[in-house]
Amino acid sequence: MTTSLGMTTSLGMTTHDTPVGFIGLGTMGEPMVRRLIGSGVSVFVWNRTAARARNVALAGGGVAPDVREVFARCRVVFLMLADGDAVDAVLDRGGAEFQRRASGRTIVHMGTTAPEYSRELERDVRAAGGRYVETPVSGSRQPAETGQLVAMVAGEAKAVDEIVPLLRPMCARAFNCGAVPNGILTKLAVNIFLITMVTGLAEAVHFAERQEIDIAQVMAVLDAGPMASAVSRAKLPKLVERDFGVEAAVVNVLENTRLIMDACKAAEIVSPLLEMSRALYAETVALGLGDRDMTAVLRTIERRSGEARRRVG
């Protein structure tokens, strides 16, 4: 089922007698929180690096002194965290606090982790008396800032109904993917296309520049043709200008490739283009560019061309 957050009246914002919790103010988390606050939602946040909460405080959000306070004050808690280890640490999964943090609350896992991890986390949250929804989003910092993310929602129907209205300020569309972990599996499928597409754009720019053809004309042709997309329009200028300011970090892309390849192995299927891309992003991290935007993969392609020329020479 597809949900249009801007058109369905049943998705109007709900009133919460307690603030909504949000943990994880990274590249995407911080602008997502600011959009929630701007829509009138009361938000109470915590971040491991306290300095990142300053913008949220300036925007009118509440800042918790510690993780425990978020769960004490909030019935719905969004987690926008890097990986399963970070999620487990925040929830104290396996520890004395987990029962208290999960019971009576809806835990919304917005990061991208292994599908099996999400399935097991749902089991544990529900066993502790809580509700669980996985809601990975497609997009990077710019769509997060403009509320144009796309959400892939999975979980028990009542829990999904509770949190979908809260996605409205952050997401242009939400898709009900059914049971956990179908949201994350959908996100991984989408990411195969995204990662290979951006890698292909980097190769195209490299090819055009080395052939000494008009790169502006190449960009215009791409933009006028059927391959044009919001991604190509955002990433092509970054590639040409060597603007590697982070929107989707290389290290995060590399982690996504690992998750996809692990899921492929479990399903006994192959993803050859993604496997080749994974090698390129691993090399990009080795070049010290892990914290740069994924367009920095261009540097690895350029380095490989340099090595090829030296071999020929």
Side-chain angles (χ1 to χ4, degrees):
M1 178 183 72
T2 303
T3 299
S4 174
L5 295 177
M7 295 175 61
T8 305
T9 55
S10 62
L11 296 183
M13 297 306 299
T14 57
T15 300
H16 287 260
D17 54 4
T18 59
V20 172
F22 200 108
I23 298 174
L25 303 176
T27 300
M28 292 174 62
E30 187 256 338
M32 291 166 71
V33 168
R34 285 193 283 105
R35 289 199 60 84
L36 274 174
I37 295 169
S39 73
V41 177
S42 176
V43 184
F44 201 54
V45 307
W46 182 83
N47 193 72
R48 184 176 59 182
T49 305
R52 290 189 173 178
R54 289 173 186 160
N55 287 339
V56 171
L58 290 172
V63 180
D66 53 42
V67 171
R68 182 179 300 180
E69 189 70 12
V70 176
F71 290 96
R73 294 185 56 172
C74 304
R75 184 169 56 83
V76 176
V77 180
F78 287 87
L79 305 178
M80 189 61 175
L81 298 166
D83 52 34
D85 289 343
V87 172
D88 288 348
V90 161
L91 292 173
D92 194 32
R93 190 171 173 214
E97 286 290 318
F98 179 74
Q99 177 80 29
R100 284 188 286 273
R101 293 179 185 179
S103 180
R105 291 170 183 82
T106 300
I107 305 300
V108 186
H109 173 35
M110 300 195 79
T112 305
T113 56
E116 189 57 33
Y117 169 85
S118 187
R119 193 198 311 270
E120 292 172 357
L121 180 57
E122 180 191 41
R123 178 200 63 201
D124 290 351
V125 168
R126 293 180 69 173
R131 291 177 172 177
Y132 176 82
V133 183
E134 64 177 23
T135 311
V137 292
S138 183
S140 57
R141 184 174 181 88
Q142 184 176 9
E145 290 175 341
T146 57
Q148 295 300 305
L149 297 171
V150 177
M152 290 145 279
V153 189
E156 189 225 344
K158 289 183 179 179
V160 169
D161 289 345
E162 180 180 22
I163 69 98
V164 164
L166 290 166
L167 298 176
R168 184 175 183 178
M170 301 181 285
C171 304
R173 299 285 296 276
F175 291 81
N176 189 332
C177 298
V180 173
N182 286 349
I184 285 177
L185 286 170
T186 302
K187 171 70 182 293
L188 295 182
V190 168
N191 277 359
I192 292 173
F193 181 58
L194 171 65
I195 293 168
T196 55
M197 176 172 58
V198 173
T199 307
L201 281 171
E203 282 197 27
V205 168
H206 178 62
F207 177 86
E209 290 178 339
R210 293 304 171 92
Q211 296 291 344
E212 298 184 350
I213 57 177
D214 185 346
I215 190 64
Q217 188 171 65
V218 172
M219 293 173 69
V221 170
L222 282 171
D223 194 45
M227 291 86 74
S229 68
V231 172
S232 67
R233 292 182 178 120
K235 295 301 186 184
L236 268 172
K238 289 177 70 67
L239 286 162
V240 172
E241 296 164 14
R242 303 306 195 269
D243 171 15
F244 301 141
V246 66
E247 292 181 352
V250 169
V251 67
N252 293 333
V253 173
L254 181 60
E255 172 63 9
N256 270 261
T257 65
R258 183 190 69 80
L259 293 173
I260 294 165
M261 295 310 299
D262 286 351
C264 286
K265 183 177 180 181
E268 299 181 343
I269 58 177
V270 299
S271 184
L273 290 178
L274 196 283
E275 189 169 359
M276 294 173 68
S277 296
R278 184 182 184 185
L280 290 169
Y281 286 97
E283 289 180 39
T284 308
V285 170
L287 289 176
L289 298 169
D291 63 344
R292 309 304 288 161
D293 188 69
M294 65 187 299
T295 48
V297 72
L298 178 61
R299 293 299 192 200
T300 295
I301 297 169
E302 291 172 336
R303 185 185 61 80
R304 285 194 180 190
S305 284
E307 290 177 350
R309 286 199 305 274
R310 286 192 293 273
R311 285 196 299 270
V312 172

